[in-house]
Structures are given as C-alpha cells and as structure tokens.
Amino acid sequence: MVSTLTPLQLITAGSGALVIAIWLYTRHRSRLNLPPGIRGLQCFSQLFNGKLWLGMQDLNRQHGDLACGSILWVHTIIIGSAKVAEDLLEKRSVNYSDRPRSVMCGELSGWGKIMLLANCNDWFRAHRKLFAQEIGSNSTVAKFHRMIDFETRRTLRNILDDPARLQAHIRKNFTSIALRISHGYVTQEGTDPLVELAQTANSQLSLTSTLGAHYVDIVPLLKYIPSWLPGAGFKRKAKEYAAVLHDLVEIPHNYVKSQLAAGTALPSLTSRILGKPGLTDEVEDNLKWAAATMYQGGADTANSVGYAFYLAMTLHPRVMKKAQEELDSVVGASRLPTFADRPSLPYMEALVTELLRWHTPAPLTIRRANVDDEYNGYFIPAGSYVLVNIWAILRDERTYMNPLEFRPERFLGDNPEPHPGNVCFGFGRRRCPGYFLGQSALWLMCAQALGTFDISKCVENGVEITPEFNLVGETLVHQAPFKCSIKPRSSEAEALIRQEFSLSE
C-alpha cells in the first residue's frame, strides 16, 4: 500500500519517534546501577551548603568510596579513597582526563586556554611538553636553585622587617620564582604590579570555577542572554574577569618581547621560544598561554601551602623545635640551609611532606567521563562529573593514623605512611606539572625560615592567641588570616638574613 503521508507529516512522525526513543533510552540509563547517593534538591542541601569537600566527605561516609549525586540529567560521581581515584584516573586515564564544560569560567571569562581547564588534547599536550622541558624533573629544576635561594632570602628579609604582612611576602616569594622562570621578570621591591595582578586573577578563577555556583554552567543557553537583562549580572562579571585574564597573559608576554628587542631579556621559557627562528603565530599563542599557566599556578597553590607552614609551626612548637635541632646539628649557625643540605635533613623533609598532607590548596579535583564506564558493578554515565575529594583522602583514617594531628614522624621509620604527593598533586595525565619546582621552593622556604626564625603564638594584653585551622576560598583555598609572632632566633640569625646574597656565583 502506497503511503499518503505528506512530507510534513513524515517529519513530524519521525521527530515524535526520536523523542520517544530518547525518552526510553534515558529511562533505561536511569535504571542502570548508578553508585549509591542522593538525588534532586537534596544534593544542594547536602553538598553545596558550606565547604563542598566536607559535604562530599559526609556523602562518602554514608554511601561508600564511590558515591553519586544527581540533579536532573547531571550525575556527579564522588570519589573518597585513593584506590578508587587511582583505578579510574590513573589506570583509565583515557576516559577521565578531560574537564567538564565550564561556561562561566572557561568560555565567558576566557580561562579555557589555561592548562588547568583545557581538555586533554593537542593544545594541552603542547603545554605539558613545555613544562616538562623547563621544570619537569629535579634535574631541570636544579638549574634554578640559586635563583630560588635568592628569592627565599629576600622573603626572609621582608618578613623580618614587616612580619604583619606575612601572607603578602610569601605570595610574592613564589610568584617571583614563577615569573623568573616563565618570563625572566624580576619583581620589584615592595608592591609589584604583576604579583598583585596574579592574586586578583587567581581569586577570580576560584570564584568562577566553583562547582554549582553559576546557573549558566547548568543551563549553558543562558550564556546567550543580553548582559543588560535583569539576572544577567554574571555576564557583566565575566567581562571584567576576562579583562584581568587578558592582562595576566599579555602584559608579561609583551614585556619579554620588549626586552628581547632591547637585547636585555633574561633567560626564561618565553625568551627561549621567542628567540627561535621561524616562530609561527600558533606556536607563539601556545607559548603565551603555557607561560601564563606557569605564572598563574606558581602564584597560588605554593603560596597557600607556604602560608599554612607558619600556622603549623605556631600550633605545633614541638615539631618546630625538633626541626631546628636537626638544622642546627647539620647546618650550624654560621650559614643558611641550602639545597645541598636536603639529603641530610630527613626530619625537615618529613615536615614538608606532612605539610602537603595537612593543608590542601586544591581540596577537589574534577574530571569528566568521556564514555560510559563500569566500576565494581556500578554504572558511570558518559558526561558525568567525576570529583576526587583530595582533602578527605589525605585525612582518611584507613591510611593515616590520627590524621588531624600534624606529625612528621608518620613519614619516617621502617613503615612510613603513604606520601601525600601521590594525591595532592593530582592524578594521571593532569598531575601538576609544577610538582618538582613547587616541592623544591617550599622545602627551602621552610628550612631557611626555621633556621632563622622562632615562630609562636601572639600575646595580646597578656592573653595568648591560638589561631584556628580554617580553609577559606572555593576551588583554590588558603588558611584564613591569622596572627603569629615571628622573631629572629638570635642576633647571628638576623645577621644571616641581612647578609647580601648575589645571584652570580
């Protein structure tokens, strides 16, 4: 029998069949065995009510190391153990190396070209290659030891002169190191514009990348509404953030180009690549964003841990005294510790290791499942957000004895507990590319500070003030501002801090 349906009727019937097929497929997927967890509005009340990593820790305690929170069609897979994280993000890294789509941060604010948010594609791999060549091992970082020493001593002097601005001094220390390597830029004494620019940009990055903070990330079509409409304030904010990011990328890059033209450029990642013949626009653009990633990354996570070091020493004088005794026996009082002393200072090494476990600058890492997957009988749908609770893993009582204690001894002896670097620096193909540089700069800062300073609680009006461990921030966190007393250990120690130190051998 010949069909008498018109083309419009055929299209309508076909569309209806497609809708029904999608509905049936969706119902089928929803009935598959998702990890246990919570659904609907309960996700907002339990997960997004305060510090996200605490809500996720509670969810894992209730439902196991692999849990799920579902809102409408969005599934969030929450991982609360190192084993599950390694099984998925390390062993199945092909499926779990991309980031979820980020409309507010990645698209509207422009952060999508920074390696932190880029998907694991050719752009991302080109950045990783540049990082590996520059700071990808202890041996490549070793060529920067003298410069790191110079910046660390400069920071000690600034803290000695103005201890009330401790956090600003530490921030400048790590930003200065990153800028020297990325762009050959020497920060000014006092307030430096590029240090301040990085702080502003990183604060905005943390705000815009916070999971669940922006409706446009849940309903991407909102990105197309005019910015003048009521409720479209996020678009106006994103425009402001994009302007700051533009400066973060362009200002130091143009600085290197001007220095190269004048013949005064210092060695750096940017000057090395820009100085090569046959440079294409594509290579330069890639370099510009890779160098910005190094500058931006070095300006935040390391300084977050560095500031937490002073809190740890304020709260744990026993640990400080034990580290100082080791430093005194190995280094003595006539000089400052250097990288050459590091192998002879096991307690100092354990102290820095414990610091990485105790304070987590990025409590969560987030990925996206590219294709459907199955793990231990549970279904992980393609497109799911996959969150690893780094903060909780580093406080897992199954791994660390008395995890809330600050106890470097846990990493010494015949049976040390697992090194936190396997977790806190990320997993798989997205493991932090600044791992070796960050650890080295942090170690020297801690060692030289303990060699010269006594750090203790403040006393105000005869009352000793005990600061609290309190993480503040969103995607990137810091310890809340606190007060402590920082004094030179002796007149000899003060003289060492003020001693001139040249970058030239």
Side-chain angles (χ1 to χ4, degrees):
M1 181 177 179
V2 179
S3 172
T4 58
L5 295 176
T6 66
L8 179 59
Q9 289 172 322
L10 286 171
I11 292 172
T12 302
S15 299
L18 179 61
V19 169
I20 292 171
I22 292 173
W23 178 76
L24 290 172
Y25 177 65
T26 303
R27 278 182 59 83
H28 168 69
R29 283 166 61 95
S30 68
R31 290 175 177 173
L32 291 173
N33 193 25
L34 289 170
I38 54 180
R39 306 287 184 267
L41 294 178
Q42 188 183 358
C43 287
F44 283 105
S45 62
Q46 182 167 338
L47 297 182
F48 300 104
N49 184 20
K51 295 174 180 177
L52 189 57
W53 53 92
L54 295 179
M56 292 184 173
Q57 183 185 44
D58 289 341
L59 188 66
N60 284 126
R61 284 173 173 170
Q62 295 167 19
H63 299 286
D65 291 335
L66 190 71
C68 180
S70 299
I71 304 173
L72 299 176
W73 56 87
V74 179
H75 301 294
T76 301
I77 308 300
I78 299 166
I79 298 173
S81 79
K83 182 183 186 310
V84 177
E86 290 166 4
D87 285 348
L88 296 181
L89 275 63
E90 295 276 357
K91 297 177 182 178
R92 305 182 190 182
S93 60
V94 171
N95 193 34
Y96 297 101
S97 292
D98 283 348
R99 298 291 195 199
R101 183 182 181 185
S102 173
V103 180
M104 181 63 183
C105 185
E107 298 174 22
L108 294 177
S109 301
W111 283 93
K113 294 178 78 172
I114 287 284
M115 191 163 63
L116 178 69
L117 289 180
N119 280 332
C120 196
N121 49 26
D122 289 343
W123 174 269
F124 177 87
R125 285 185 284 272
H127 286 200
R128 296 284 301 196
K129 183 177 180 180
L130 289 174
F131 269 74
Q133 292 170 350
E134 205 71 14
I135 55 171
S137 66
N138 282 321
S139 60
T140 55
V141 169
K143 65 180 179 287
F144 301 115
H145 280 179
R146 185 84 179 173
M147 180 270 291
I148 295 170
D149 200 346
F150 174 84
E151 292 295 348
T152 305
R153 290 167 185 255
R154 183 160 69 140
T155 300
L156 291 178
R157 188 169 62 250
N158 290 335
I159 294 172
L160 177 65
D161 291 338
D162 189 4
R165 298 188 66 245
L166 172 66
Q167 190 171 18
H169 298 320
I170 294 171
R171 182 187 306 118
K172 185 177 180 181
N173 177 80
F174 292 107
T175 309
S176 297
I177 291 169
L179 275 167
R180 285 294 294 263
I181 298 172
S182 62
H183 296 92
Y185 176 84
V186 182
T187 55
Q188 305 170 8
E189 294 295 336
T191 301
D192 184 275
L194 289 191
V195 175
E196 299 304 306
L197 175 61
Q199 181 191 5
T200 301
N202 276 322
S203 296
Q204 294 172 354
L205 169 63
S206 185
L207 288 172
T208 56
S209 60
T210 301
L211 187 66
H214 304 282
Y215 292 126
V216 70
D217 287 324
I218 301 172
V219 186
L221 286 175
L222 290 174
K223 69 179 284 189
Y224 297 108
I225 67 174
S227 58
W228 50 263
L229 278 178
F234 69 93
K235 292 199 70 174
R236 296 188 290 274
K237 280 291 183 185
K239 187 175 181 180
E240 294 175 16
Y241 298 159
V244 172
L245 175 61
H246 176 271
D247 288 346
L248 183 87
V249 175
E250 297 293 341
I251 290 175
H253 185 76
N254 290 334
Y255 166 83
V256 180
K257 294 179 79 170
S258 67
Q259 294 291 298
L260 282 170
T264 56
L266 295 175
S268 69
L269 167 65
T270 303
S271 64
R272 176 169 62 83
I273 303 299
L274 286 179
K276 291 183 177 180
L279 184 73
T280 65
D281 290 343
E282 180 182 358
V283 171
E284 182 175 356
D285 191 51
N286 203 307
L287 164 68
K288 182 164 57 177
W289 284 90
T293 294
M294 186 178 293
Y295 162 34
Q296 166 268 324
D300 199 81
T301 52
N303 88 68
S304 175
V305 183
Y307 187 53
F309 160 75
Y310 280 85
L311 176 64
M313 296 302 96
T314 303
L315 295 175
H316 304 281
R318 177 195 66 84
V319 172
M320 182 183 71
K321 294 301 182 185
K322 191 169 182 178
Q324 288 176 331
E325 289 171 2
E326 182 185 67
L327 285 163
D328 291 345
S329 67
V330 173
V331 179
S334 62
R335 64 179 179 87
L336 291 178
T338 68
F339 286 110
D341 299 309
R342 191 171 181 179
S344 304
L345 297 167
Y347 191 81
M348 191 70 235
E349 190 74 30
L351 187 156
V352 175
T353 303
E354 176 69 335
L355 186 63
L356 294 172
R357 186 198 68 83
W358 186 73
H359 172 85
T360 312
L364 304 169
T365 187
I366 182 169
R367 309 290 177 83
R368 175 172 60 85
N370 288 326
V371 299
D372 289 348
D373 199 7
E374 183 271 334
Y375 181 79
N376 284 354
Y378 292 118
F379 177 58
I380 301 175
S384 296
Y385 291 13
V386 179
L387 273 77
V388 179
N389 193 341
I390 291 175
W391 186 91
I393 290 173
L394 295 179
R395 283 156 185 76
D396 192 335
E397 294 179 350
R398 296 168 297 182
T399 306
Y400 298 103
M401 184 180 297
N402 300 320
L404 299 184
E405 292 183 10
F406 189 89
R407 192 168 60 85
E409 291 82 359
R410 70 175 76 248
F411 300 111
L412 299 172
D414 295 332
N415 295 296
E417 295 176 354
H419 195 292
N422 298 328
V423 175
C424 69
F425 288 97
F427 299 89
R429 304 179 184 194
R430 303 199 77 99
R431 181 176 171 85
C432 175
Y435 173 88
F436 297 100
L437 175 63
Q439 273 209 327
S440 295
L442 180 65
W443 182 89
L444 191 67
M445 187 208 76
C446 295
Q448 291 196 352
L450 290 184
T452 53
F453 289 138
D454 279 325
I455 304 163
S456 60
K457 296 177 183 179
C458 277
V459 177
E460 294 184 351
N461 300 320
V463 178
E464 187 177 71
I465 300 174
T466 301
E468 295 182 354
F469 182 101
N470 181 21
L471 296 179
V472 294
E474 305 295 341
T475 306
L476 305 172
V477 299
H478 300 76
Q479 293 293 336
F482 61 91
K483 293 182 178 180
C484 65
S485 172
I486 305 171
K487 297 179 179 179
R489 296 179 65 192
S490 65
S491 58
E492 291 80 9
E494 181 172 355
L496 285 176
I497 294 172
R498 298 200 182 281
Q499 192 175 70
E500 289 295 323
F501 181 80
S502 173
L503 269 175
S504 58
E505 296 287 350

